Amino acid sequence: MIKVSILGTGNVATHLFKAFSSSEEIEIIQVVGRNTKALLAFGHNTNTTSNFTDLKVSDIYIIALSDNSIKTVSEQLTKNNALIVHTSGSTPMAELSKHKRHGVFYPLQTFSKTTEVDFKKVPICLEAKKKEDMALLKKLANLVSNYSYEIDTEQRKSLHLSAVFVNNFTNHLYQMGSDLCKEHNVPFKILSPLIQETARKIETLSPFDAQTGPARRGDSKTITNHLEQLKNPEFKAIYKLLSKSIQTTYGKKL
Ligand SMILES: NC(=O)c1ccc[n+]([C@@H]2O[C@H](COP(=O)([O-])OP(=O)(O)OC[C@H]3O[C@@H](n4cnc5c(N)ncnc54)[C@H](OP(=O)(O)O)[C@@H]3O)[C@@H](O)[C@H]2O)c1
């Protein structure tokens, strides 16, 4: 049995709580959060507190707090012999170095409190200062997910940056597509199979091989027409920039 305490009551804390609750080999000892209203959602069968210096004994303390507060809050924790980890993609493990035993338990997925996630499919990126703590984190990760990876701070930083491109920027492009559809009274959901197929295709093809479209083909006439169609100067600039990047990648002259 692994005894775990969760610090935080936000998106990640909520999903970790749910995933840990579903394993008979994990005991959630406590949920700690400054937001007493948010704590209520965790308190049916679990001890909760808003006092970060009133922690019960656990094997692992998981800090699922905003990136900005990880260092400061971790330094208030008095459990100096316990394993303390954070869940952040962009925060160095060394921010927890006040504690002898420290590490990272980063679930690489986008989490919102109200959206269901199949945690078994979430890759967990693990880092630990001590070898025996890596073994403990692996054991915990393998109880809730089918995918765990040893990833150091530098690698995690590049994964997080890459995630901004493949998730946040892609989603912003959906937003732009949705605006263009709205402008002309076309339902955005007609594009849904295309969105699904684009994501599915890179399971078997590299993103390099999967690229299609006018910039990849060098179809300058279509590109000129698209640019004339675009009224929003920001959309125009992004269209030009991405087309130029595709052109450079494939050595096409437009
Ligand atoms: N959401 C994701 O998709 C995702 C995915 C992977 C990793 N992560 C990482 O997981 C961590 C948590 O993210 P999240 O999305 O769960 O954030 P969130 O929903 O905004 O929750 C943040 C939590 O931190 C608390 N908090 C903020 N500042 C604090 C302070 N100074 N002292 C004490 N508590 C404080 C908040 O309390 P209040 O409610 O009182 O503000 C809340 O409980 C971050 O490191 C993030 O990078 C997020």
Tab-separated table of all heavy atoms in Angstrom, residues 184-240:
chain	number	residue	atom	x	y	z
A	184	HIS	N	-19.310	32.661	-42.030
A	184	HIS	CA	-20.039	32.279	-43.250
A	184	HIS	C	-21.142	31.267	-42.984
A	184	HIS	O	-21.573	30.553	-43.901
A	184	HIS	CB	-19.055	31.755	-44.304
A	184	HIS	CG	-18.108	32.833	-44.741
A	184	HIS	ND1	-16.875	33.011	-44.154
A	184	HIS	CD2	-18.248	33.834	-45.642
A	184	HIS	CE1	-16.279	34.050	-44.699
A	184	HIS	NE2	-17.096	34.587	-45.606
A	185	ASN	N	-21.569	31.204	-41.702
A	185	ASN	CA	-22.695	30.331	-41.339
A	185	ASN	C	-22.523	28.857	-41.699
A	185	ASN	O	-23.458	28.211	-42.170
A	185	ASN	CB	-23.979	30.825	-42.015
A	185	ASN	CG	-24.628	31.875	-41.160
A	185	ASN	OD1	-24.556	31.795	-39.920
A	185	ASN	ND2	-25.232	32.858	-41.802
A	186	VAL	N	-21.320	28.347	-41.527
A	186	VAL	CA	-21.084	26.913	-41.766
A	186	VAL	C	-20.846	26.271	-40.403
A	186	VAL	O	-20.087	26.816	-39.601
A	186	VAL	CB	-19.812	26.678	-42.623
A	186	VAL	CG1	-19.779	25.278	-43.170
A	186	VAL	CG2	-19.681	27.708	-43.710
A	187	PRO	N	-21.480	25.111	-40.107
A	187	PRO	CA	-21.225	24.481	-38.809
A	187	PRO	C	-19.783	23.973	-38.714
A	187	PRO	O	-19.333	23.221	-39.586
A	187	PRO	CB	-22.206	23.302	-38.753
A	187	PRO	CG	-23.073	23.419	-39.950
A	187	PRO	CD	-22.440	24.360	-40.925
A	188	PHE	N	-19.078	24.376	-37.655
A	188	PHE	CA	-17.674	23.968	-37.452
A	188	PHE	C	-17.566	22.446	-37.343
A	188	PHE	O	-16.557	21.848	-37.727
A	188	PHE	CB	-17.136	24.658	-36.182
A	188	PHE	CG	-15.729	24.287	-35.823
A	188	PHE	CD1	-14.665	24.574	-36.673
A	188	PHE	CD2	-15.445	23.651	-34.618
A	188	PHE	CE1	-13.355	24.240	-36.339
A	188	PHE	CE2	-14.137	23.314	-34.273
A	188	PHE	CZ	-13.101	23.613	-35.139
A	189	LYS	N	-18.661	21.801	-36.860
A	189	LYS	CA	-18.563	20.352	-36.629
A	189	LYS	C	-18.409	19.534	-37.932
A	189	LYS	O	-18.008	18.377	-37.885
A	189	LYS	CB	-19.721	19.854	-35.761
A	189	LYS	CG	-21.069	19.707	-36.397
A	189	LYS	CD	-21.949	18.931	-35.383
A	189	LYS	CE	-23.200	18.375	-35.974
A	189	LYS	NZ	-24.195	19.283	-36.448
A	190	ILE	N	-18.649	20.175	-39.078
A	190	ILE	CA	-18.391	19.474	-40.351
A	190	ILE	C	-16.894	19.132	-40.462
A	190	ILE	O	-16.504	18.174	-41.119
A	190	ILE	CB	-18.861	20.322	-41.569
A	190	ILE	CG1	-20.380	20.533	-41.511
A	190	ILE	CG2	-18.470	19.663	-42.891
A	190	ILE	CD1	-20.945	21.362	-42.655
A	191	LEU	N	-16.060	19.948	-39.782
A	191	LEU	CA	-14.609	19.719	-39.848
A	191	LEU	C	-14.140	18.639	-38.871
A	191	LEU	O	-12.970	18.241	-38.900
A	191	LEU	CB	-13.856	21.027	-39.551
A	191	LEU	CG	-13.960	22.109	-40.631
A	191	LEU	CD1	-13.457	23.433	-40.091
A	191	LEU	CD2	-13.167	21.718	-41.872
A	192	SER	N	-15.046	18.170	-38.006
A	192	SER	CA	-14.646	17.250	-36.945
A	192	SER	C	-13.947	15.969	-37.458
A	192	SER	O	-12.887	15.598	-36.944
A	192	SER	CB	-15.859	16.935	-36.073
A	192	SER	OG	-15.484	16.055	-35.076
A	193	PRO	N	-14.493	15.279	-38.502
A	193	PRO	CA	-13.794	14.074	-38.989
A	193	PRO	C	-12.381	14.387	-39.490
A	193	PRO	O	-11.466	13.573	-39.329
A	193	PRO	CB	-14.679	13.585	-40.145
A	193	PRO	CG	-16.018	14.181	-39.879
A	193	PRO	CD	-15.766	15.498	-39.213
A	194	LEU	N	-12.205	15.579	-40.073
A	194	LEU	CA	-10.876	15.972	-40.558
A	194	LEU	C	-9.910	16.149	-39.377
A	194	LEU	O	-8.753	15.698	-39.417
A	194	LEU	CB	-10.994	17.281	-41.356
A	194	LEU	CG	-9.684	17.871	-41.861
A	194	LEU	CD1	-9.009	16.964	-42.867
A	194	LEU	CD2	-9.931	19.247	-42.496
A	195	ILE	N	-10.414	16.779	-38.323
A	195	ILE	CA	-9.594	16.978	-37.122
A	195	ILE	C	-9.191	15.612	-36.536
A	195	ILE	O	-8.022	15.371	-36.223
A	195	ILE	CB	-10.360	17.826	-36.076
A	195	ILE	CG1	-10.551	19.260	-36.601
A	195	ILE	CG2	-9.635	17.833	-34.741
A	195	ILE	CD1	-11.470	20.134	-35.762
A	196	GLN	N	-10.174	14.696	-36.437
A	196	GLN	CA	-9.901	13.360	-35.884
A	196	GLN	C	-8.880	12.620	-36.745
A	196	GLN	O	-7.946	12.008	-36.224
A	196	GLN	CB	-11.185	12.495	-35.850
A	196	GLN	CG	-12.387	13.110	-35.174
A	196	GLN	CD	-12.174	13.315	-33.692
A	196	GLN	OE1	-11.414	12.568	-33.083
A	196	GLN	NE2	-12.801	14.312	-33.118
A	197	GLU	N	-9.056	12.693	-38.054
A	197	GLU	CA	-8.173	11.946	-38.958
A	197	GLU	C	-6.748	12.500	-38.918
A	197	GLU	O	-5.774	11.748	-38.984
A	197	GLU	CB	-8.752	11.983	-40.387
A	197	GLU	CG	-7.924	11.282	-41.443
A	197	GLU	CD	-7.664	9.795	-41.184
A	197	GLU	OE1	-8.322	9.209	-40.304
A	197	GLU	OE2	-6.782	9.232	-41.856
A	198	THR	N	-6.626	13.831	-38.790
A	198	THR	CA	-5.295	14.448	-38.734
A	198	THR	C	-4.536	13.922	-37.508
A	198	THR	O	-3.346	13.603	-37.591
A	198	THR	CB	-5.427	15.989	-38.657
A	198	THR	OG1	-6.284	16.416	-39.705
A	198	THR	CG2	-4.087	16.677	-38.779
A	199	ALA	N	-5.256	13.790	-36.390
A	199	ALA	CA	-4.611	13.289	-35.164
A	199	ALA	C	-4.324	11.794	-35.286
A	199	ALA	O	-3.273	11.315	-34.859
A	199	ALA	CB	-5.505	13.568	-33.962
A	200	ARG	N	-5.274	11.052	-35.911
A	200	ARG	CA	-5.125	9.594	-36.019
A	200	ARG	C	-3.952	9.234	-36.940
A	200	ARG	O	-3.212	8.292	-36.688
A	200	ARG	CB	-6.427	9.006	-36.563
A	200	ARG	CG	-6.672	7.552	-36.234
A	200	ARG	CD	-7.807	6.985	-37.057
A	200	ARG	NE	-7.587	7.122	-38.483
A	200	ARG	CZ	-6.814	6.327	-39.224
A	200	ARG	NH1	-6.201	5.321	-38.664
A	200	ARG	NH2	-6.665	6.537	-40.517
A	201	LYS	N	-3.795	10.033	-38.016
A	201	LYS	CA	-2.795	9.725	-39.037
A	201	LYS	C	-1.369	9.685	-38.477
A	201	LYS	O	-0.558	8.865	-38.904
A	201	LYS	CB	-2.894	10.781	-40.149
A	201	LYS	CG	-2.615	10.235	-41.513
A	201	LYS	CD	-3.164	11.122	-42.619
A	201	LYS	CE	-2.392	12.395	-42.782
A	201	LYS	NZ	-2.673	13.082	-44.060
A	202	ILE	N	-1.082	10.557	-37.502
A	202	ILE	CA	0.304	10.579	-37.006
A	202	ILE	C	0.616	9.434	-36.034
A	202	ILE	O	1.705	9.350	-35.490
A	202	ILE	CB	0.703	11.946	-36.392
A	202	ILE	CG1	-0.313	12.415	-35.371
A	202	ILE	CG2	0.933	12.997	-37.460
A	202	ILE	CD1	0.337	13.092	-34.221
A	203	GLU	N	-0.381	8.537	-35.841
A	203	GLU	CA	-0.086	7.294	-35.118
A	203	GLU	C	0.769	6.386	-36.018
A	203	GLU	O	1.558	5.579	-35.536
A	203	GLU	CB	-1.378	6.538	-34.741
A	203	GLU	CG	-2.308	7.288	-33.791
A	203	GLU	CD	-1.766	7.332	-32.378
A	203	GLU	OE1	-0.992	6.447	-32.005
A	203	GLU	OE2	-2.124	8.289	-31.652
A	204	THR	N	0.577	6.518	-37.342
A	204	THR	CA	1.281	5.618	-38.260
A	204	THR	C	2.273	6.350	-39.186
A	204	THR	O	3.163	5.734	-39.740
A	204	THR	CB	0.277	4.837	-39.138
A	204	THR	OG1	-0.640	5.772	-39.702
A	204	THR	CG2	-0.500	3.822	-38.319
A	205	LEU	N	2.084	7.654	-39.380
A	205	LEU	CA	3.012	8.425	-40.220
A	205	LEU	C	3.714	9.468	-39.367
A	205	LEU	O	3.136	9.940	-38.384
A	205	LEU	CB	2.225	9.190	-41.302
A	205	LEU	CG	1.605	8.434	-42.471
A	205	LEU	CD1	0.899	9.427	-43.399
A	205	LEU	CD2	2.672	7.670	-43.237
A	206	SER	N	4.928	9.859	-39.739
A	206	SER	CA	5.576	10.962	-39.019
A	206	SER	C	4.853	12.251	-39.413
A	206	SER	O	4.277	12.327	-40.513
A	206	SER	CB	7.046	11.054	-39.405
A	206	SER	OG	7.140	11.462	-40.757
A	207	PRO	N	4.873	13.292	-38.553
A	207	PRO	CA	4.242	14.562	-38.940
A	207	PRO	C	4.812	15.071	-40.262
A	207	PRO	O	4.093	15.648	-41.084
A	207	PRO	CB	4.590	15.510	-37.787
A	207	PRO	CG	4.855	14.616	-36.628
A	207	PRO	CD	5.420	13.341	-37.188
A	208	PHE	N	6.102	14.810	-40.494
A	208	PHE	CA	6.726	15.244	-41.755
A	208	PHE	C	6.027	14.593	-42.946
A	208	PHE	O	5.667	15.260	-43.915
A	208	PHE	CB	8.226	14.894	-41.751
A	208	PHE	CG	8.950	15.360	-42.987
A	208	PHE	CD1	9.526	16.634	-43.031
A	208	PHE	CD2	9.045	14.555	-44.114
A	208	PHE	CE1	10.181	17.084	-44.179
A	208	PHE	CE2	9.688	14.993	-45.267
A	208	PHE	CZ	10.262	16.265	-45.293
A	209	ASP	N	5.809	13.287	-42.869
A	209	ASP	CA	5.188	12.573	-43.997
A	209	ASP	C	3.693	12.851	-44.106
A	209	ASP	O	3.115	12.710	-45.189
A	209	ASP	CB	5.414	11.062	-43.863
A	209	ASP	CG	6.854	10.694	-44.116
A	209	ASP	OD1	7.525	11.423	-44.875
A	209	ASP	OD2	7.328	9.698	-43.534
A	210	ALA	N	3.057	13.209	-42.986
A	210	ALA	CA	1.596	13.366	-42.991
A	210	ALA	C	1.134	14.713	-43.550
A	210	ALA	O	-0.036	14.881	-43.877
A	210	ALA	CB	1.052	13.205	-41.564
A	211	GLN	N	2.060	15.667	-43.708
A	211	GLN	CA	1.655	17.023	-44.131
A	211	GLN	C	1.057	17.026	-45.546
A	211	GLN	O	1.608	16.426	-46.464
A	211	GLN	CB	2.890	17.947	-44.100
A	211	GLN	CG	2.584	19.418	-44.341
A	211	GLN	CD	1.818	20.038	-43.182
A	211	GLN	OE1	2.213	19.924	-42.049
A	211	GLN	NE2	0.707	20.668	-43.482
A	212	THR	N	-0.077	17.686	-45.683
A	212	THR	CA	-0.663	17.906	-47.018
A	212	THR	C	-0.961	19.406	-47.140
A	212	THR	O	-0.568	20.189	-46.269
A	212	THR	CB	-1.984	17.101	-47.193
A	212	THR	OG1	-2.895	17.501	-46.178
A	212	THR	CG2	-1.749	15.606	-47.129
A	213	GLY	N	-1.680	19.810	-48.177
A	213	GLY	CA	-2.134	21.210	-48.281
A	213	GLY	C	-1.383	22.023	-49.308
A	213	GLY	O	-0.359	21.591	-49.843
A	214	PRO	N	-1.894	23.232	-49.592
A	214	PRO	CA	-1.327	24.048	-50.675
A	214	PRO	C	0.148	24.409	-50.473
A	214	PRO	O	0.915	24.410	-51.447
A	214	PRO	CB	-2.205	25.311	-50.685
A	214	PRO	CG	-3.076	25.244	-49.481
A	214	PRO	CD	-3.104	23.834	-49.009
A	215	ALA	N	0.568	24.681	-49.220
A	215	ALA	CA	1.971	25.081	-49.008
A	215	ALA	C	2.902	23.904	-49.277
A	215	ALA	O	3.963	24.055	-49.880
A	215	ALA	CB	2.170	25.607	-47.590
A	216	ARG	N	2.470	22.707	-48.868
A	216	ARG	CA	3.289	21.507	-49.110
A	216	ARG	C	3.391	21.231	-50.621
A	216	ARG	O	4.441	20.853	-51.133
A	216	ARG	CB	2.675	20.309	-48.371
A	216	ARG	CG	3.154	18.940	-48.848
A	216	ARG	CD	4.281	18.398	-47.994
A	216	ARG	NE	5.102	17.401	-48.655
A	216	ARG	CZ	5.237	16.146	-48.289
A	216	ARG	NH1	4.566	15.696	-47.242
A	216	ARG	NH2	6.039	15.322	-48.910
A	217	ARG	N	2.261	21.434	-51.345
A	217	ARG	CA	2.260	21.145	-52.787
A	217	ARG	C	2.895	22.255	-53.618
A	217	ARG	O	3.206	22.073	-54.773
A	217	ARG	CB	0.808	20.967	-53.279
A	217	ARG	CG	0.090	19.736	-52.778
A	217	ARG	CD	-1.226	19.544	-53.532
A	217	ARG	NE	-2.126	20.682	-53.342
A	217	ARG	CZ	-3.010	20.768	-52.350
A	217	ARG	NH1	-3.104	19.797	-51.468
A	217	ARG	NH2	-3.791	21.824	-52.233
A	218	GLY	N	3.035	23.442	-52.989
A	218	GLY	CA	3.531	24.586	-53.753
A	218	GLY	C	2.458	25.221	-54.623
A	218	GLY	O	2.761	25.804	-55.670
A	219	ASP	N	1.188	25.101	-54.212
A	219	ASP	CA	0.063	25.653	-54.988
A	219	ASP	C	-0.126	27.145	-54.693
A	219	ASP	O	-0.982	27.551	-53.904
A	219	ASP	CB	-1.227	24.887	-54.641
A	219	ASP	CG	-1.475	23.747	-55.602
A	219	ASP	OD1	-0.929	23.796	-56.728
A	219	ASP	OD2	-2.208	22.815	-55.225
A	220	SER	N	0.677	27.977	-55.382
A	220	SER	CA	0.708	29.402	-55.066
A	220	SER	C	-0.616	30.115	-55.386
A	220	SER	O	-0.984	31.071	-54.702
A	220	SER	CB	1.870	30.084	-55.786
A	220	SER	OG	1.819	29.770	-57.135
A	221	LYS	N	-1.337	29.631	-56.400
A	221	LYS	CA	-2.613	30.264	-56.773
A	221	LYS	C	-3.613	30.157	-55.612
A	221	LYS	O	-4.268	31.139	-55.242
A	221	LYS	CB	-3.211	29.543	-57.978
A	221	LYS	CG	-3.137	30.285	-59.274
A	221	LYS	CD	-3.916	29.467	-60.296
A	221	LYS	CE	-3.980	30.114	-61.624
A	221	LYS	NZ	-4.592	29.206	-62.601
A	222	THR	N	-3.713	28.967	-55.063
A	222	THR	CA	-4.648	28.740	-53.937
A	222	THR	C	-4.241	29.587	-52.733
A	222	THR	O	-5.095	30.185	-52.069
A	222	THR	CB	-4.660	27.234	-53.546
A	222	THR	OG1	-4.892	26.494	-54.726
A	222	THR	CG2	-5.704	26.915	-52.501
A	223	ILE	N	-2.946	29.671	-52.494
A	223	ILE	CA	-2.473	30.453	-51.345
A	223	ILE	C	-2.833	31.928	-51.524
A	223	ILE	O	-3.324	32.580	-50.593
A	223	ILE	CB	-0.947	30.253	-51.146
A	223	ILE	CG1	-0.705	28.811	-50.664
A	223	ILE	CG2	-0.370	31.261	-50.158
A	223	ILE	CD1	0.724	28.426	-50.524
A	224	THR	N	-2.619	32.452	-52.725
A	224	THR	CA	-2.971	33.851	-52.991
A	224	THR	C	-4.467	34.056	-52.766
A	224	THR	O	-4.879	35.045	-52.139
A	224	THR	CB	-2.596	34.229	-54.461
A	224	THR	OG1	-1.249	33.870	-54.660
A	224	THR	CG2	-2.779	35.705	-54.730
A	225	ASN	N	-5.294	33.118	-53.246
A	225	ASN	CA	-6.753	33.229	-53.044
A	225	ASN	C	-7.102	33.223	-51.558
A	225	ASN	O	-7.923	34.025	-51.109
A	225	ASN	CB	-7.493	32.066	-53.727
A	225	ASN	CG	-7.465	32.214	-55.229
A	225	ASN	OD1	-7.226	33.320	-55.742
A	225	ASN	ND2	-7.675	31.127	-55.942
A	226	HIS	N	-6.495	32.330	-50.813
A	226	HIS	CA	-6.770	32.254	-49.366
A	226	HIS	C	-6.413	33.574	-48.682
A	226	HIS	O	-7.164	34.085	-47.852
A	226	HIS	CB	-5.975	31.113	-48.719
A	226	HIS	CG	-6.574	29.757	-48.963
A	226	HIS	ND1	-5.910	28.588	-48.683
A	226	HIS	CD2	-7.781	29.394	-49.471
A	226	HIS	CE1	-6.685	27.557	-48.986
A	226	HIS	NE2	-7.825	28.031	-49.467
A	227	LEU	N	-5.256	34.129	-49.054
A	227	LEU	CA	-4.816	35.377	-48.413
A	227	LEU	C	-5.771	36.521	-48.747
A	227	LEU	O	-6.032	37.385	-47.903
A	227	LEU	CB	-3.378	35.715	-48.823
A	227	LEU	CG	-2.307	34.823	-48.166
A	227	LEU	CD1	-0.935	35.045	-48.800
A	227	LEU	CD2	-2.231	35.083	-46.660
A	228	GLU	N	-6.307	36.516	-49.964
A	228	GLU	CA	-7.285	37.559	-50.340
A	228	GLU	C	-8.583	37.387	-49.548
A	228	GLU	O	-9.235	38.356	-49.175
A	228	GLU	CB	-7.590	37.478	-51.844
A	228	GLU	CG	-6.592	38.280	-52.667
A	228	GLU	CD	-6.721	38.000	-54.156
A	228	GLU	OE1	-7.753	37.438	-54.585
A	228	GLU	OE2	-5.766	38.328	-54.881
A	229	GLN	N	-8.938	36.113	-49.299
A	229	GLN	CA	-10.176	35.803	-48.565
A	229	GLN	C	-10.104	36.259	-47.104
A	229	GLN	O	-11.115	36.597	-46.509
A	229	GLN	CB	-10.343	34.277	-48.545
A	229	GLN	CG	-11.605	33.743	-49.174
A	229	GLN	CD	-11.522	32.209	-49.180
A	229	GLN	OE1	-10.714	31.639	-49.904
A	229	GLN	NE2	-12.326	31.592	-48.366
A	230	LEU	N	-8.871	36.231	-46.544
A	230	LEU	CA	-8.727	36.521	-45.108
A	230	LEU	C	-8.802	38.022	-44.839
A	230	LEU	O	-7.988	38.795	-45.355
A	230	LEU	CB	-7.398	35.961	-44.585
A	230	LEU	CG	-7.344	34.442	-44.416
A	230	LEU	CD1	-5.898	33.969	-44.188
A	230	LEU	CD2	-8.220	33.995	-43.240
A	231	LYS	N	-9.774	38.416	-43.979
A	231	LYS	CA	-9.933	39.842	-43.671
A	231	LYS	C	-9.137	40.219	-42.411
A	231	LYS	O	-8.577	41.295	-42.317
A	231	LYS	CB	-11.421	40.175	-43.433
A	231	LYS	CG	-12.321	39.820	-44.620
A	231	LYS	CD	-12.246	40.853	-45.742
A	231	LYS	CE	-12.925	40.385	-47.009
A	231	LYS	NZ	-12.143	39.458	-47.856
A	232	ASN	N	-9.128	39.296	-41.448
A	232	ASN	CA	-8.453	39.562	-40.175
A	232	ASN	C	-6.924	39.574	-40.377
A	232	ASN	O	-6.336	38.565	-40.787
A	232	ASN	CB	-8.877	38.453	-39.190
A	232	ASN	CG	-8.280	38.634	-37.815
A	232	ASN	OD1	-7.156	39.104	-37.683
A	232	ASN	ND2	-9.029	38.239	-36.798
A	233	PRO	N	-6.243	40.717	-40.106
A	233	PRO	CA	-4.807	40.810	-40.386
A	233	PRO	C	-3.967	39.800	-39.591
A	233	PRO	O	-2.933	39.328	-40.064
A	233	PRO	CB	-4.449	42.249	-39.972
A	233	PRO	CG	-5.627	42.779	-39.239
A	233	PRO	CD	-6.814	41.955	-39.579
A	234	GLU	N	-4.454	39.456	-38.388
A	234	GLU	CA	-3.721	38.478	-37.566
A	234	GLU	C	-3.793	37.089	-38.227
A	234	GLU	O	-2.792	36.372	-38.302
A	234	GLU	CB	-4.357	38.415	-36.177
A	234	GLU	CG	-3.411	37.885	-35.137
A	234	GLU	CD	-3.392	38.789	-33.931
A	234	GLU	OE1	-4.284	38.630	-33.076
A	234	GLU	OE2	-2.512	39.666	-33.885
A	235	PHE	N	-4.982	36.724	-38.695
A	235	PHE	CA	-5.158	35.427	-39.363
A	235	PHE	C	-4.254	35.374	-40.602
A	235	PHE	O	-3.637	34.361	-40.908
A	235	PHE	CB	-6.619	35.219	-39.804
A	235	PHE	CG	-7.583	34.896	-38.677
A	235	PHE	CD1	-7.260	35.165	-37.352
A	235	PHE	CD2	-8.822	34.328	-38.946
A	235	PHE	CE1	-8.151	34.872	-36.322
A	235	PHE	CE2	-9.717	34.024	-37.926
A	235	PHE	CZ	-9.382	34.306	-36.612
A	236	LYS	N	-4.216	36.510	-41.322
A	236	LYS	CA	-3.403	36.606	-42.539
A	236	LYS	C	-1.924	36.370	-42.208
A	236	LYS	O	-1.230	35.606	-42.875
A	236	LYS	CB	-3.580	38.025	-43.131
A	236	LYS	CG	-3.598	38.035	-44.631
A	236	LYS	CD	-3.843	39.439	-45.128
A	236	LYS	CE	-5.060	39.417	-45.996
A	236	LYS	NZ	-5.304	40.390	-46.929
A	237	ALA	N	-1.468	37.046	-41.134
A	237	ALA	CA	-0.055	36.935	-40.740
A	237	ALA	C	0.275	35.494	-40.343
A	237	ALA	O	1.338	34.966	-40.702
A	237	ALA	CB	0.231	37.901	-39.589
A	238	ILE	N	-0.647	34.845	-39.598
A	238	ILE	CA	-0.406	33.466	-39.158
A	238	ILE	C	-0.409	32.525	-40.364
A	238	ILE	O	0.438	31.631	-40.484
A	238	ILE	CB	-1.442	33.046	-38.086
A	238	ILE	CG1	-1.164	33.814	-36.797
A	238	ILE	CG2	-1.409	31.540	-37.828
A	238	ILE	CD1	-2.204	33.661	-35.721
A	239	TYR	N	-1.346	32.735	-41.296
A	239	TYR	CA	-1.406	31.920	-42.520
A	239	TYR	C	-0.075	32.019	-43.270
A	239	TYR	O	0.510	31.015	-43.676
A	239	TYR	CB	-2.584	32.372	-43.405
A	239	TYR	CG	-2.816	31.482	-44.600
A	239	TYR	CD1	-3.903	30.618	-44.651
A	239	TYR	CD2	-1.932	31.497	-45.688
A	239	TYR	CE1	-4.112	29.781	-45.741
A	239	TYR	CE2	-2.128	30.667	-46.787
A	239	TYR	CZ	-3.211	29.810	-46.811
A	239	TYR	OH	-3.399	28.987	-47.891
A	240	LYS	N	0.429	33.261	-43.410
A	240	LYS	CA	1.687	33.475	-44.155
A	240	LYS	C	2.859	32.789	-43.448
A	240	LYS	O	3.683	32.136	-44.069
A	240	LYS	CB	1.979	34.985	-44.255
A	240	LYS	CG	1.328	35.652	-45.433
A	240	LYS	CD	1.872	37.066	-45.554
A	240	LYS	CE	1.059	37.888	-46.533
A	240	LYS	NZ	1.269	39.320	-46.379
